[in-house]
Amino acid sequence: QVQLVESGGGLVQYGGSLRLSCAASGSIFRVNDMNWYRQAPGKERLLVATVTSGGITNYADSVKGRFTISRDNAKKTIYLQMNSLKPEDTAVYYCRAVLIPIPPVESLEVWGQGTLVTVSS
């Protein structure tokens, strides 16, 4: 069974930093794009950052210059370094991956369980 497991959320003060991790496990042939999304209370889930298998990154305008997404292909893990955090960054952060399992029948979209980030003012 393929799954994504996130870690690193918590409570941080305004201007602080956190680092989230998301590890893919199971019978995986290849991991393609991986993303971080977030969902604030009462709001829709929004894309925060993307990293392709080749390391190309993209960010939502709201986090550019403050967040950095990276990946370790050998560990099938991505990270989200979040700096200069603001109260409006408070949300549940979800990891998403598009991957090919073993046996490689077709690609799968897999989501993590989410990790809560709370930024206090």
Side-chain angles (χ1 to χ4, degrees):
Q1 182 179 359
V2 176
Q3 62 177 348
L4 300 177
V5 178
E6 300 129 335
S7 61
L11 174 65
V12 64
Q13 289 188 331
Y14 179 93
S17 298
L18 279 177
R19 188 192 194 211
L20 306 182
S21 300
C22 170
S25 64
S27 298
I28 299 171
F29 177 71
R30 184 174 69 236
V31 181
N32 293 328
D33 289 2
M34 297 187 77
N35 320 92
W36 287 101
Y37 283 74
R38 68 185 181 187
Q39 187 167 19
K43 298 191 175 180
E44 63 181 336
R45 191 174 298 187
L46 298 175
L47 178 62
V48 173
T50 297
V51 59
T52 68
S53 56
I56 296 172
T57 60
N58 203 0
Y59 299 92
D61 287 344
S62 59
V63 306
K64 280 181 181 176
R66 300 188 298 123
F67 291 11
T68 302
I69 188 171
S70 60
R71 71 189 280 167
D72 183 331
N73 287 329
K75 295 182 179 179
K76 298 184 180 67
T77 299
I78 62 169
Y79 306 94
L80 187 67
Q81 178 65 44
M82 305 185 293
N83 298 328
S84 302
L85 283 161
K86 307 173 183 179
E88 50 264 45
D89 294 317
T90 294
V92 177
Y93 284 71
Y94 295 92
C95 175
R96 170 189 175 271
V98 177
L99 54 85
I100 299 175
I102 296 173
V105 291
E106 60 182 8
S107 64
L108 293 178
E109 178 188 56
V110 183
W111 289 85
Q113 81 285 356
T115 185
L116 177 62
V117 172
T118 304
V119 185
S120 66
S121 55

